[in-house]
Amino acid sequence: CPTHRALHRVGLGTMLFGTTLSEDEARRLLDRAHLHHGVSFFDTAEMYPVPQSSATQGDSERILGAWVRDRIRRGALRREDVTVATKVSGPCSEMPWIRGGPHRLDRAGIVASCEASLLRLGLDHVDLLQLHWPDRYVPMFGDELYDSARRFHSKPGETSADSLLEQLSALRDLEDRGLVRESGLSNETAWGLTRCAGLARESPGVARVARVQQCYSLLCRGLDQNGGLRECCHEEGVSVIAYSPLAMGLLTGKYLPPEGRGVEAGYDRWGPPRARLNLHRGRYSEAESRYPRDERTTRAVQAYRELAHKRGMSLTELSIRFVLSSEVVGTALLGCVDEAQLDELCLYAGRGGLDRDALEEIDRVHAAHPSPTP
């Protein structure tokens, strides 16, 4: 039966729509998520699907938008019943097919991105437009330590605060035009979020950041660490969209070596052939650098699996419910490749967060195995 009541904090990610999943497979997943489980938040991006390429860029938006329009036409949903979120790519020399790089995240690029996304989606507005990553150097996608020598500004003579002001102003213009309902950030730092909140208070005509999308899981707890975003989100009233709550499948345990095999060689040879880290091996650099299948990660996953079994649940359940235990997490994004996976994750999410004793035990495991996939 539907689990609508419990899943208001769950969203469905679409970054595999058009590569791992065909359009028909994606549509079945969307139907199952919304019509059966009541999931109403759907996240995409102009660069999706992944692994990214010029041939597939934008297909995830096209598939999602076609599904929304078709279901509205059939009377299966109303536009106001779903939240469609997409993202503007930041500077990236590896994607020249997106605005030539993009070279920077400026007003013209943000507006062009939004308008192109709306065309692909076939919608007159998006409910949330996020800046996918900052237009400045920050440690992300596997980096942990800040290196001031790597600082850059994409526009000579401009400070990071100047760049943020231009971006927030562009987002506000899109809101005023009715093309965007809310604005957000992604892969941001505590400084970036705090500065954006300050600019929204200090400067007329700039957007307020309503949500920030960050990686958050048992294996990636930068959100919770001292100096992280959790305090900022509390103080500024910003809701977190937690992506990769299963650390790209590592926290299902499916990549662990079989019983009796040691972890010394890591587990890069294990797991189902169609599992993402195997299927796209050598073609998805962010996944392979950020989610290393090495001894450190293996031992952390095994420790959390032991804790889960001790508490009478699967590793997957422990992982999903841990993310939903955070009071600043408004939405946990699920990534699924079939309906069976979706049903399992929605079942666990419907059970809500973990109790205090479980969270304290998780903190002890974290102290011994701190964030191997930052």
Side-chain angles (χ1 to χ4, degrees), residues 6 8-9 311 313 317-327 347-359 362:
H8 62 283
R9 294 177 65 204
R311 300 195 65 85
M313 65 183 76
E317 178 176 354
L318 182 79
S319 302
I320 291 293
R321 294 179 65 190
F322 163 75
V323 170
L324 291 171
S325 300
S326 174
E327 71 284 354
L347 172 66
Y348 298 149
R351 294 173 181 168
L354 299 166
D355 61 37
R356 173 49 54 186
D357 287 344
L359 294 174
I362 284 171

Side-chain angles (χ1 to χ4, degrees), residues 155-374:
K155 184 178 179 180
E158 183 179 71
T159 68
S160 295
D162 293 334
S163 179
L164 290 175
L165 182 60
E166 179 179 0
Q167 293 158 25
L168 295 176
S169 177
L171 290 170
R172 176 60 182 273
D173 288 348
L174 292 169
E175 291 179 4
D176 290 345
R177 290 171 58 190
L179 303 183
V180 172
R181 295 290 188 263
E182 286 187 323
S183 298
L185 305 174
S186 182
N187 299 298
E188 248 310 346
T189 65
W191 179 85
L193 178 57
T194 302
R195 193 70 194 98
C196 285
L199 288 169
R201 286 191 295 269
E202 300 160 6
S203 308
V206 302
R208 175 187 176 273
V209 172
R211 310 194 203 195
V212 60
Q213 186 170 153
Q214 300 291 122
C215 186
Y216 186 52
S217 74
L218 290 171
L219 302 181
C220 179
R221 295 189 59 183
L223 181 71
D224 296 332
Q225 291 167 349
N226 186 32
L229 280 168
R230 193 167 183 169
E231 180 186 16
C232 300
C233 292
H234 263 303
E235 296 297 333
E236 302 295 347
V238 176
S239 178
V240 174
I241 302 168
Y243 74 83
S244 206
L246 294 176
M248 204 162 283
L250 295 177
L251 286 167
T252 65
K254 63 187 175 186
Y255 295 108
L256 286 174
E259 290 296 326
R261 303 299 294 266
V263 302
E264 294 77 15
Y267 47 22
D268 61 328
R269 74 192 72 179
W270 310 117
R274 281 187 57 79
R276 197 183 322 173
L277 293 175
N278 288 332
L279 183 65
H280 300 306
R281 188 194 301 266
R283 297 192 298 124
Y284 189 13
S285 58
E286 186 223 320
E288 294 180 31
S289 63
R290 187 171 198 173
Y291 302 97
R293 295 191 276 172
D294 56 18
E295 183 174 350
R296 179 187 174 201
T297 305
T298 303
R299 294 195 184 281
V301 173
Q302 288 178 326
Y304 283 118
R305 184 176 64 173
E306 290 172 8
L307 173 58
H309 291 173
K310 172 186 170 185
R311 300 195 65 85
M313 65 183 76
S314 69
L315 173 59
T316 303
E317 178 176 354
L318 182 79
S319 302
I320 291 293
R321 294 179 65 190
F322 163 75
V323 170
L324 291 171
S325 300
S326 174
E327 71 284 354
V328 298
V329 171
T331 305
L333 279 185
L334 306 181
C336 308
V337 297
D338 58 43
E339 292 156 86
Q341 280 187 0
L342 176 69
D343 290 347
E344 179 187 13
L345 298 183
C346 286
L347 172 66
Y348 298 149
R351 294 173 181 168
L354 299 166
D355 61 37
R356 173 49 54 186
D357 287 344
L359 294 174
E360 289 177 354
E361 288 188 275
I362 284 171
D363 285 346
R364 286 193 284 273
V365 176
H366 172 71
H369 305 278
S371 295
T373 65

